[in-house]
């Protein structure tokens, strides 16, 4: 039997510091055809990388923005000054790069807090860069650890021989570690369980077909790519044991914003009595959103849909799945189950 391959090969490629303090990242728009690495040095570079989805996935855009802030601060510090005005402006621009994944705003708030504190005691730009870099590294390291913890929870819910359907990409390419939805699958695979993945294509940008199928194949996990409209008939034939997706933001009542099409899968799963799970680190929970109605949904360019010229295009990047469709949430603090109003808050105690 072929030895189990590991997702760590992909994890190591996703993002890195360069020796001169800028950010080297894998351009996800070029996968799976080619592995192209790019560098972000300025705030413009990082904002552009996040907007164009070269760096994408909720946890990774938080990590990438924090690292990109450090890269730009390193350049700014060479000019001899690093002011609170510069920091505020840079953080505001990075926070605005994409609206739905709360991990981005959460990471920027953390960077701002340490930056402001440091500026109270030092005006030495090199020291400030050091403080920012340490916080960016902590955000990354904590995410990697949370992914592992989510993986342990997911693994417990994935029986030997299971077929798991997933949507979009919530794997190593979307995080600082082994992913969220894919983490349980990787852990199960490492433990020698026979797990098979059905990866929904995920229109219009095909993160499932391009990215999830690529990274699972790299790690030696059996994966079958299907177009989105195949999900219903596969469920009806009894070929799906559970559905697991990631999320960009989870509201205090358990409503889940994730890649467009997730809600449809959750409705289908319920209709076929298949458990629908969501996998997230705590950084994806936004207690300031009482429900999914409060979550801003990103609208993207009509060009992504490739419709006939002259047609109007409606291209929301995300949808909201009401909590009543969510069987359970795999988190770094264990399995969270309904009633979510109580259980979600309890993992912050
Ligand atoms: O538009 P994307 O590719 O950034 O969307 C990503 C998703 O919807 C993921 O499921 C979500 O961010 C969770 S990633 C662990």
């Amino acid at each position: 039997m072929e030895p189990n391959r590991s997702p760590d090969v992909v994890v190591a490629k996703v993002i890195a510091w360069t020796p001169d303090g800028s950010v080297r990242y894998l351009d996800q728009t070029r996968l799976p055809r080619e592995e192209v690495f790019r560098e972000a040095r300025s705030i413009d570079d990082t904002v552009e990388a996040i907007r164009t989805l070269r760096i994408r996935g909720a946890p990774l855009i938080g990590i990438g923005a924090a690292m990109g802030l450090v890269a730009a601060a390193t350049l700014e510090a060479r000019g001899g000054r690093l002011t609170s005005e510069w920091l505020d402006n840079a953080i505001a621009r990075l926070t605005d790069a994409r609206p739905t994944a709360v991990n981005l705003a959460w990471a920027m708030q953390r960077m701002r807090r340490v930056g402001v504190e440091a500026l109270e005691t030092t005006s030495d730009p090199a020291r400030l860069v050091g403080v920012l870099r340490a916080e960016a590294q902590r955000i990354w390291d904590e995410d990697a650890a949370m992914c592992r913890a989510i993986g342990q929870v997911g693994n417990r819910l994935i029986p030997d021989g299971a077929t798991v359907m997933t949507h979009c990409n919530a794997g190593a390419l979307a995080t600082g570690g082994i992913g969220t939805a894919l983490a349980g699958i990787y852990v199960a695979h490492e433990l020698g369980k026979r797990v098979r993945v059905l990866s929904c294509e995920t229109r219009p940008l095909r993160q499932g077909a391009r990215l999830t199928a690529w990274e699972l194949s790299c790690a030696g996990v059996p994966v079958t790519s299907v177009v989105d409209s195949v999900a219903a008939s596969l469920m009806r034939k009894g070929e799906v044991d559970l559905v697991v997706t990631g999320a960009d933001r989870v509201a205090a009542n358990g409503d889940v914003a994730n890649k467009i099409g997730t809600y449809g899968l959750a409705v289908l799963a319920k209709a076929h009595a298949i458990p629908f799970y969501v996998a997230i680190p705590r950084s994806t929970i936004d207690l300031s959103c009482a429900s999914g109605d409060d979550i801003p949904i990103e609208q993207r360019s009509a060009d992504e849909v490739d419709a006939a010229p002259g047609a109007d295009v409606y291209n929301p990047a995300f949808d909201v799945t009401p909590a009543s469709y969510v069987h359970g949430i795999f988190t770094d603090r264990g399995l969270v189950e309904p009633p979510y109003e109580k259980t979600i808050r309890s993992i912050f105690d």
Side-chain angles (χ1 to χ4, degrees), residues 86 99 126 175 183 191 223 252 270 303 331:
W86 182 90
T175 65
L191 294 173
V223 54
K270 193 164 193 167
D303 302 343
T331 77

Side-chain angles (χ1 to χ4, degrees), residues 325-336:
Y325 290 88
V326 181
H327 215 81
I329 306 179
F330 306 164
T331 77
D332 52 292
R333 285 282 170 88
L335 177 67
V336 173

Side-chain angles (χ1 to χ4, degrees), residues 4 151-152 155-156 184-194:
N4 277 351
Q152 305 295 335
N155 167 55
R156 288 204 296 277
I185 292 160
Y186 284 131
V187 172
H189 180 71
E190 280 167 6
L191 294 173
K193 286 187 187 170
R194 289 160 304 129

Side-chain angles (χ1 to χ4, degrees), residues 249-260:
R249 196 182 298 221
V250 173
N253 71 344
D255 289 352
V256 172
N258 191 47
K259 178 56 56 188
I260 190 77

